[in-house]
Structure formats: C-alpha cells, structure tokens
Amino acid sequence: MSYLPLRLRTRAAIVTLALVLLAGLVAHAMASPAALTTAEAAKVVDLVEKLSPELGPLAYDEETADEWFTRDEVRGGLIAKAGFTRESWRAAFDATFCGYLANLPEAPLDARFAQMRKRLEHTPRMTPEQRAAALAFVDEHEQRLGQLRAAGRPDAATVRPLVSRLDRLMPQDVASE
C-alpha cells in the first residue's frame, strides 16, 4: 500500500507484515484433525531451510504450502520424500508457523502495533482518509495475528525448540512503500 511509508526492522514488525498474506491460514490450521508432532514440525523446518534458497524467502500466505509443494514436485520432490502428502504438508506447515507465532512474546508485538499506530497518526503527508485506512489496516492485522497465535497455541510447545531456526528463516528487513 503506497500510503504506508514505513521501514520495519524488528522481528515483530516482520511477522506482522507477513500476516498481510496470511488470509485463510487459521482455517487450515484449525482444520487439521491431528496435533502437530515434534517430528513433523522438525521436518517442516528442515524442508523450509533446504528449499528456501530455491523457492525464495519465507513470505507466505494460505497458498504458500501448496505452492511450495507444487514447485518442489518439479525440483525433486523433497517434501513428498519426507513423507508428506499435499494435505499433510499444508496442515503441518500451517501448524508450524501458527505455533511459531504463538511463541512470540506478546509485549513486543503489542508495542510494535502501538508504534505503527503512533507513526500513522503523526504522518503529515497522509490525508485523513488514508490515515483511517492505514489505521484500519493495522487493526485488522493485529486481530489477524491474535487469531493466528490462538490457532497456534495447541502446537506452541511442539514448535518452541524450533523458534530460533524459524527466526532465521523470516525476512530480515521488510520495507513497505
């Protein structure tokens, strides 16, 4: 969105902006009938680490798991070789990333949303309509983050040992212009 001239560098901001692309992820995570296992979560992280150099950085939405599965099928099928079907990959991928979000400390996330609102409220180059739209955008994504974190709570303990690896997979600098 061109009216959001923010440069964001913190992990919380990166995760927050990545959520722009996450519509539908909660439905996938909640649709998973079985709890995420430690082995599945570790396989997901292993595969993302192996495939991200070829498939790109981890900017994902509800279609990313399917896209990665399709692109990996053409490149050698590492995901299928690891024992995942398209459906089980999607469920494990979504549960792993929701579990990751559930492990992020709440205070820095809240502070980041407050900081974004404060910047938007004091940006002189925005019209009142742009400011209202931008603030609504922030509110929507804060709510979305809360939903994703709630969906990830059942898998948070399973994913917790993998958080530092997942941190390294997240984009280090996201600019919205």
Side-chain angles (χ1 to χ4, degrees):
M1 300 182 127
S2 63
Y3 53 84
L4 290 177
L6 304 175
R7 185 143 177 95
L8 307 168
R9 295 179 187 265
T10 67
R11 177 176 66 175
I14 291 166
V15 171
T16 300
L17 289 179
L19 293 174
V20 171
L21 304 173
L22 288 175
L25 186 58
V26 170
H28 287 304
M30 290 181 170
S32 177
L36 181 70
T37 67
T38 303
E40 288 171 326
K43 282 184 196 179
V44 168
V45 176
D46 289 344
L47 288 164
V48 171
E49 286 173 337
K50 287 177 187 171
L51 294 171
S52 62
E54 291 179 43
L55 301 182
L58 192 60
Y60 56 92
D61 62 17
E62 78 276 3
E63 297 173 5
T64 299
D66 285 331
E67 180 185 322
W68 277 44
F69 192 90
T70 300
R71 291 175 65 194
D72 177 57
E73 279 181 315
V74 176
R75 288 182 161 74
L78 292 178
I79 296 170
K81 288 176 185 174
F84 289 107
T85 64
R86 181 179 298 275
E87 293 75 25
S88 66
W89 167 249
R90 183 185 316 118
F93 184 90
D94 292 347
T96 299
F97 287 101
C98 285
Y100 168 74
L101 294 172
N103 276 292
L104 297 177
E106 192 164 343
L109 294 173
D110 291 345
R112 185 61 189 161
F113 280 110
Q115 180 184 28
M116 290 169 66
R117 282 188 189 88
K118 185 176 179 179
R119 282 185 182 172
L120 290 170
E121 289 169 357
H122 300 330
T123 301
R125 298 184 322 218
M126 296 177 92
T127 67
E129 294 80 17
Q130 289 172 324
R131 184 172 291 108
L135 289 169
F137 175 86
V138 171
D139 291 343
E140 176 185 326
H141 292 290
E142 183 175 30
Q143 182 179 21
R144 185 80 174 131
L145 177 61
Q147 292 170 340
L148 293 170
R149 288 169 53 85
R153 282 190 192 107
D155 299 309
T158 301
V159 176
R160 192 167 295 121
L162 303 166
V163 167
S164 63
R165 290 173 62 193
L166 287 162
D167 282 341
R168 288 189 297 272
L169 293 168
M170 293 302 191
Q172 296 302 305
D173 190 16
V174 175
S176 178
E177 307 206 9

